[in-house]
Amino acid sequence: MIVVNVREGEIDISGHAGYATYGYDIVCSAVSCLFQNLIASIEALTDDDIEYDIDNGNCRMIYKNLSGVSKTLVDSFFIGICMISREFPDNVRID
């Protein structure tokens, strides 16, 4: 189960979806892609300072004072992760 915590100043993702074997798990891939796109978009489109760590089964982004653009990107990430969670409720949980 992937557990996603989105709160003020932090996004924390942990666990594995367990939908399919490693390398073939479309749920893990989708969550990872959304998170990595969020990081890359904030870095490419804003001057906001963020800290992040991406490791096997654990991702975290810490931020302060986001610009309007970054807030919109975080909102977009949250919309996407909610869609995945609704489609795969046995594999992704939002806390």
Side-chain angles (χ1 to χ4, degrees):
M1 169 77 65
I2 294 174
V3 178
V4 180
N5 288 299
V6 179
R7 57 181 82 97
E8 186 64 35
E10 181 179 350
I11 297 171
D12 186 59
I13 304 170
S14 61
H16 294 281
Y19 182 80
T21 58
Y22 183 81
Y24 297 92
D25 194 322
I26 62 170
V27 179
C28 274
S29 179
V31 171
S32 178
C33 186
L34 277 177
F35 184 77
Q36 290 183 52
N37 185 67
L38 172 63
I39 298 297
S41 296
I42 289 173
E43 289 186 329
L45 301 173
T46 76
D47 292 325
D48 294 348
D49 290 323
I50 57 172
E51 295 178 34
Y52 63 90
D53 184 44
I54 301 172
D55 195 13
N56 188 14
N58 293 294
C59 302
R60 173 181 270 176
M61 181 176 92
I62 298 172
Y63 54 89
K64 295 179 186 174
N65 303 320
L66 291 181
S67 65
V69 171
S70 288
K71 287 178 184 178
T72 299
L73 292 168
V74 170
D75 289 346
S76 178
F77 167 82
F78 189 67
I79 290 167
I81 210 72
C82 286
M83 290 173 62
I84 294 170
S85 177
R86 281 192 301 273
E87 187 70 26
F88 299 96
D90 295 334
N91 307 96
V92 179
R93 182 178 80 226
I94 300 172
D95 283 349

